[in-house]
Structures are given as structure tokens and as C-alpha cells.
Amino acid sequence: MKLPDSIQVIERGWLSANNVVLHERDEVVVVDSGYGAHAAQTVALIERALSGKRLARLVNTHCHSDHMGGNAAIQREFGCRTSITEGEAPLIDRWDDQALLLAIADQRAERFRFDDTFRDGDALQMGGLEWRVIAAPGHDTHAVMFHCPEARVLISGDALWENGFGVVFPQLFGRDTALAETRATLEAIARLEADTVIPGHGRPFGGASAALERAFYRLEGYEEDITRLARHCAKVMLSFSLLEKRSMPLAELPAYVARVPILAELNSRYLGMRPAEMAEWLVNELERAGAARREEGLLVARGQ
Ligand SMILES: [Zn+2]
């Protein structure tokens, strides 16, 4: 696996998406800005990566809180132009809390402005290379990827990780095309020429084919049994909240799963558990996955 020198990946954890820094001689473009709670760290990391160059543009693969949560802070610090996908422009304009999965998922992001938009098929000049914008619906209807045929690199956002892809929501709040979109997006990735994939989370990896095989296998499991997806979704949502809060009192979890709309909806539509039962099941699952542990009445996060 090799990346051109002009492409720098700042690998973050699961709460904050990776920042991809694309260098030109005097200017830099950054893809994705991490989660709001990490904004000060993100600004410091980007400041160091710039090493005196100008941050010309901030670009988002999609507008989930872990990818755009640092946008406002970066704009304040660097005064850069900001570009998002065309489909998300109205959501950002009116700060559509539900569509952006903020309060309904117990997530937060500071409101930001954008300067322009791009869409599927557009060409973007970033870091001295030409990148093709490719629609990547599924995890997020409006998400895109950036593909550079010349360097054979794909910035995949949450459409493909080394081991899986960003959580896909089963039918929730009236939308039920996410699995079909996910399949189409994975098929689109399979048609691209890429030696290296830079995912939204995790390290860059060589070639997409092994990752695609794992992704299709996982997708088939969800297609076979949608409740499998609902269970995965609930675990991902609680893990993310726990990463932000670092710990949560175990005694408060039943009320929490009943109160956070996305968890309550997953439960009423697919799981059918009492809140206390759902909380207990989630704690066991997170422990089993190594994402959390019980400690003196608290559920404590293990990752970052
Ligand atoms: Zn996402």
C-alpha cells in the first residue's frame, strides 16, 4: 500500500473521523473535520499538518457529526472555504436536526456555513490531483467518495472500511432504501481502480477487494434478516454516545434507551424489549465486543 507524498492521513478514532490532508506547494485541502468534542485537538492537528501553508478548503464526504463536527472551529481558526455535497446543502442551511442525526441520536455539532457544493460526477482539484466525486448513498443518502484515477486512491468516507462500513439504518423515520443503496455503492466501488483506500475510520488499506468481500458478506446478513441490522444499529448508536461521554451510569441506561428517539424507534419497530431489558442486552453486547466495561456502577468506554 502506498500513498503519494502529497496525501497525509491523520488517523483518528471512532468518535472523530480521519482527517485527510491534501498538500500542494502553498495550499492545503482537508477532507472531514472530526467530532465537535474533539474540535480543539483537530484544529491543533491541522495546524501542525499545515506547517505554514494556507488551508484553502475544507471538504466533507458527508455531514454526520463525526465528519463535520469540527467544521465551525476550523472555519473560525483558518477562515477557509467550505464545500459539502449538494444533497446536504438544504439540511445544513436549515440545520435539520433530524436528518443530520443530531439530537435524535443524542449527538451534537456546532452549526457551520458552507460556501459551495459538489455532486456526483464533479471533478475537484485537491492537493494537486484531480478527484472525481462519486455518489455513495447507503450509510448516508447524500454521502460521496473521492476517487483519484491518476494516483489510484479512493477516499471512501463511511461507504467502505477495512472491516465493514458505516452503520446503515433499517427503515427508520420513513426511509427504507438504505440497504439497496449500500449494495449499489459497494458495486460502484468494485468498478473503481484503486490501489489504496482511505476510509473515514481506521488506517488506509491496500486494495478494495478483500474489504469489499467482507462488506458484501455483512450486507447479505442484513438483507437476510433486518433485525440483525437493527441490533447492530442500536449497538453502534450507544457505543458512539459512550465514546463521547466516556462513561454512563448503568442505572440510567433504561431511561436513556427509552428517551433517545433513534434507540426508542429501533426498539419499538424491531426489538420489542422492555427498556431495562434493552439496556442490559446492550451492556452485555458492548462488553462482549470489547467496547465497554462495567465499573462501579458505570458503563465505561474502552475505545476512543
Ligand atoms: Zn457517517
Side-chain angles (χ1 to χ4, degrees):
M1 185 211 66
K2 66 176 195 340
L3 281 172
D5 292 339
S6 61
I7 302 178
Q8 178 188 358
V9 181
I10 305 178
E11 191 185 331
R12 310 292 294 274
W14 290 97
L15 186 63
S16 275
N18 295 338
N19 315 117
V20 188
V21 184
L22 304 160
H23 291 268
E24 261 183 275
R25 190 138 52 98
D26 310 310
E27 285 188 354
V28 165
V29 176
V30 168
V31 179
D32 287 340
S33 67
Y35 192 68
H38 287 166
Q41 184 189 33
T42 304
V43 166
L45 288 167
I46 289 175
E47 177 91 64
R48 192 187 316 156
L50 288 173
S51 58
K53 296 181 201 171
R54 185 174 79 90
L55 179 59
R57 196 176 189 187
L58 171 63
V59 169
N60 294 113
T61 56
H62 63 294
C63 287
H64 281 164
S65 64
D66 54 331
H67 292 254
M68 59 66 166
N71 277 24
I74 288 175
Q75 291 177 339
R76 258 197 307 279
E77 185 71 25
F78 303 105
C80 56
R81 169 183 173 199
T82 302
S83 311
I84 62 171
T85 73
E86 187 179 59
E88 265 158 344
L91 312 184
I92 297 298
D93 269 336
R94 62 171 188 267
W95 202 249
D96 185 329
D97 200 84
Q98 176 159 319
L100 295 171
L101 296 182
L102 295 173
I104 63 158
D106 188 30
Q107 296 179 15
R108 281 148 287 281
E110 188 182 341
R111 193 168 182 165
F112 65 92
R113 48 153 191 91
F114 60 91
D115 300 292
D116 50 33
T117 62
F118 47 79
R119 66 209 267 190
D120 184 53
D122 282 357
L124 300 182
Q125 295 295 327
M126 305 194 291
L129 293 165
E130 183 168 295
W131 300 78
R132 183 69 55 184
V133 177
I134 297 171
H139 162 72
D140 176 60
T141 314
H142 306 292
V144 300
M145 306 177 285
F146 304 111
H147 179 232
C148 179
E150 188 193 336
R152 299 175 64 92
V153 175
L154 176 68
I155 297 174
S156 62
D158 289 348
L160 181 69
W161 299 336
E162 189 168 15
N163 193 6
F165 43 80
V167 65
V168 174
F169 297 97
Q171 186 176 15
L172 271 184
F173 308 111
R175 174 172 169 253
D176 65 349
T177 53
L179 281 181
E181 289 175 356
T182 301
R183 176 164 286 280
T185 292
L186 293 176
E187 284 165 356
I189 295 173
R191 290 191 295 270
L192 296 173
E193 305 213 327
D195 295 332
T196 307
V197 178
I198 302 173
H201 302 268
R203 58 173 192 179
F205 54 94
S209 53
L212 279 171
E213 206 171 301
R214 288 187 287 269
F216 276 117
Y217 179 78
R218 188 174 286 238
L219 179 63
E220 276 156 28
Y222 298 149
E223 288 167 339
E224 239 161 60
D225 179 2
I226 195 76
T227 62
R228 210 175 271 164
L229 179 58
R231 289 195 297 271
H232 174 65
C233 232
K235 287 184 258 180
V236 168
M237 299 321 289
L238 183 64
S239 299
F240 191 86
S241 297
L242 187 61
L243 281 180
E244 180 184 6
K245 299 176 202 301
R246 302 312 304 167
S247 71
M248 296 166 85
L250 287 162
E252 287 171 21
L253 280 177
Y256 184 82
V257 302
R259 183 177 74 239
V260 174
I262 213 160
L263 290 170
E265 169 104 356
L266 283 165
N267 191 21
S268 73
R269 194 181 278 267
Y270 297 102
L271 307 176
M273 299 180 189
R274 284 175 293 107
E277 200 186 339
M278 183 179 180
E280 177 66 16
W281 166 74
L282 280 168
V283 169
N284 286 335
E285 288 291 314
L286 264 54
E287 272 194 326
R288 204 164 60 93
R293 63 175 192 278
R294 278 175 240 242
E295 204 178 288
E296 293 168 14
L298 297 173
L299 184 64
V300 181
R302 303 191 74 156
Q304 50 147 1

